[in-house]
């Protein structure tokens, strides 16, 4: 299902270990996410996804609709250019979990 999406949308106020974002990036799908703690380790705003602020979320969402529409192809190309492979991501998570 994920590889058929234009975007993965994950709007939450907390996430422990967000593997679904990694799965989307591996499949070349940009992400629209809320600004929960640690999301900036996976998503770079306007590069491989869009980060929405949780405070005043209705205003944030309205302001970012143009980015969501206009950056769709750029974000997808950026994600596909990156080296998101399973081995690299597994190594990354192993390093984090072993701290």
């Amino acid at each position: 299902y994920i590889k058929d999406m234009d975007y993965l949308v994950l709007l939450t106020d907390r996430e422990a270990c967000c593997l679904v974002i990694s799965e989307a990036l591996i499949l070349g799908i940009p992400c629209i996410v809320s600004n929960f703690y640690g999301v900036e380790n996976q998503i770079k705003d306007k590069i491989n996804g869009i980060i929405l602020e949780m405070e005043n979320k209705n205003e944030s969402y309205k302001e970012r609709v143009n980015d969501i529409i206009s950056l769709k192809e750029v974000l997808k190309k950026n994600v596909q250019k990156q080296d998101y492979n399973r081995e690299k991501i597994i190594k990354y998570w192993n390093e984090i979990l072993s701290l």
Side-chain angles (χ1 to χ4, degrees), residues 35-47:
N35 192 15
F36 58 87
Y37 179 77
V39 74
E40 68 281 350
N41 293 324
Q42 293 175 285
I43 300 299
K44 304 300 179 219
D45 193 42
K46 295 185 180 180
I47 302 211

Side-chain angles (χ1 to χ4, degrees), residues 25-39:
L25 295 174
I26 289 168
L27 294 169
I29 305 301
C31 301
I32 299 171
V33 297
S34 51
N35 192 15
F36 58 87
Y37 179 77
V39 74

Side-chain angles (χ1 to χ4, degrees), residues 7-97:
Y7 287 105
L8 172 83
V9 178
L10 180 66
L11 303 177
T12 183
D13 59 350
R14 70 186 75 121
E15 197 65 42
C17 179
C18 197
L19 295 178
V20 70
I21 290 176
S22 296
E23 291 170 350
L25 295 174
I26 289 168
L27 294 169
I29 305 301
C31 301
I32 299 171
V33 297
S34 51
N35 192 15
F36 58 87
Y37 179 77
V39 74
E40 68 281 350
N41 293 324
Q42 293 175 285
I43 300 299
K44 304 300 179 219
D45 193 42
K46 295 185 180 180
I47 302 211
N48 63 349
I50 295 173
I51 299 175
L52 302 172
E53 295 301 321
M54 288 303 291
E55 293 78 34
N56 300 319
K57 50 187 148 194
N58 288 338
E59 288 305 311
S60 176
Y61 298 171
K62 288 177 193 175
E63 291 171 9
R64 300 305 299 271
V65 166
N66 287 336
D67 288 339
I68 292 168
I69 294 168
S70 66
L71 294 174
K72 178 180 162 188
E73 295 305 317
V74 171
L75 295 173
K76 192 161 188 83
K77 285 179 187 174
N78 287 343
V79 171
Q80 291 172 349
K81 279 193 311 191
Q82 293 296 314
D83 183 20
Y84 298 111
N85 64 54
R86 281 182 284 182
E87 290 76 23
K88 185 175 181 178
I89 290 175
I90 289 169
K91 181 180 176 192
Y92 168 78
W93 282 109
N94 281 334
E95 289 171 4
I96 290 174
L97 296 173

